[in-house]
Every structure is written in C-alpha cells, then in structure tokens.
C-alpha cells in the first residue's frame, strides 16, 4: 500500500471517529438535560446512562487525541441545580 493510501485511510478513520464522537456528545448532552429535568421535578435520577456514553467517548478520545469528558456524579447534578436557582 502506498503512503498516500495509508494517509488517506488514517484521515478517513479520524473523520469517522470524529463524527462518532460528536454524535455521542449530542447524545450525552441530551441525557444530561433529561437528568436535570428529572432532578428539578424531584424524581430519582441516575447518571449511569451519561457515564456510559462518557466512557464510549473517552475510549475514542484516547485513540484519536480528542478532549476527554468527565464522568458526572449525582453531586455534580445537585450542585448545578443549586447554582442555577
């Protein structure tokens, strides 16, 4: 395989990973919004879905040198709601 084809393949893989990362980021933001809405209503909330998505994102991030995302805790949700009031 020529060097040009190898570079083209790397660029293609990088773009594919970037699209997947951005799609997961949108999915994560929606999950965060749902948790915040439930917490505002006083419902029981879980950050499991958010952190599952975060884990997928961080796996991609470590391979392609994208910025990693922090895992979310219940305390972070409570702090955000307290500050936004």
């Amino acid at each position: 395989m020529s060097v040009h084809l190898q570079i083209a393949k790397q660029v293609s893989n990088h773009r594919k990973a970037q699209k997947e990362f951005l799609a997961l980021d949108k999915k994560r933001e929606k999950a965060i919004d749902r948790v915040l809405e439930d917490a505002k209503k006083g419902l029981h909330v879980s950050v499991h879905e958010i952190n599952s998505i975060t884990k997928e994102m961080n796996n991609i991030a470590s391979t392609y040198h994208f910025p990693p995302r922090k895992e979310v805790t219940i305390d972070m949700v409570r702090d955000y709601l307290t500050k936004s009031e």
Side-chain angles (χ1 to χ4, degrees):
M1 186 181 297
S2 75
V3 173
H4 296 290
L5 291 176
Q6 288 176 339
I7 292 171
K9 184 176 180 180
Q10 281 182 321
V11 168
S12 175
N13 288 342
H14 192 273
R15 286 184 180 159
K16 181 180 174 187
Q18 188 176 36
K19 285 180 184 179
E20 185 178 353
F21 186 84
L22 292 173
L24 286 169
D25 194 41
K26 286 181 183 179
K27 186 176 176 183
R28 181 177 183 264
E29 289 299 319
K30 286 180 183 179
I32 291 170
D33 288 342
R34 280 193 303 273
V35 167
L36 290 173
E37 287 302 314
D38 287 348
K40 285 178 188 176
K41 294 175 186 174
L43 302 173
H44 172 74
V45 295
S46 170
V47 294
H48 177 74
E49 180 186 5
I50 297 167
N51 290 330
S52 176
I53 296 167
T54 301
K55 187 175 181 178
E56 285 183 69
M57 290 178 73
N58 287 341
N59 285 338
I60 295 169
S62 66
T63 303
Y64 292 94
H65 307 290
F66 299 151
R69 299 296 191 259
K70 288 184 179 181
E71 289 199 357
V72 175
T73 65
I74 294 294
D75 288 336
M76 291 168 84
V77 173
R78 287 186 191 127
D79 289 346
Y80 179 83
L81 291 176
T82 302
K83 290 178 184 176
S84 67
E85 291 178 345

